[in-house]
Amino acid sequence: MSNSVQLTIASVILAGGLIVSAIVLTSGGQSTKKFNVVMQNNRYNPSEIVVSVGDRVIINFENRDPVSHGIAIPQFNATVPNGHVPAGGSARMEFIADRAIDTDAAVCGGPNPTDKTDEHGEEFIVRVR
Ligand SMILES: [Cu+2]
């Protein structure tokens, strides 16, 4: 076997390895999306987030209001400790967005995440595409 043939074979093996690595890296598809959300005057800022199916989502909530605010996404088993971000406090929520949904994650005042009748009236829309 000539040196050039050996080099060619080595190059093919290397290229093949790179392609396999690229496929493995991209087929995982999961990336982490982090958000910082401020609750103030019964409003969320931002009031809507959009992520992709398969994303790992981390949301840090900071509540500047004198009342606690409830947050939950039952579809992803996601909430914050005790279900509420305490008045003047902060809380972290993490979940895997394993399917496409559009939901209102603001729940204070009602057990139903789509309830818009609670006394605070805020909305926090989570869209998974
Ligand atoms: Cu509230």
Side-chain angles (χ1 to χ4, degrees), residues 60-83:
N60 290 302
F61 293 99
E62 179 192 346
N63 183 2
R64 296 179 181 169
D65 282 334
V67 295
S68 68
H69 291 301
I71 196 91
I73 308 175
Q75 296 93 328
F76 299 138
N77 241 339
T79 186
V80 292
N82 303 314

Side-chain angles (χ1 to χ4, degrees), residues 16-60:
L18 289 174
I19 289 166
V20 167
S21 303
I23 290 168
V24 167
L25 284 173
T26 53
S27 68
Q30 191 194 68
S31 59
T32 299
K33 304 276 171 64
K34 285 189 182 183
F35 301 90
N36 292 310
V37 176
V38 173
M39 306 155 139
Q40 193 163 24
N41 299 320
N42 295 336
R43 293 292 176 268
Y44 287 72
N45 184 21
S47 61
E48 178 180 322
I49 64 169
V50 181
V51 301
S52 299
V53 173
D55 282 346
R56 176 167 162 254
V57 181
I58 297 172
I59 308 173
N60 290 302

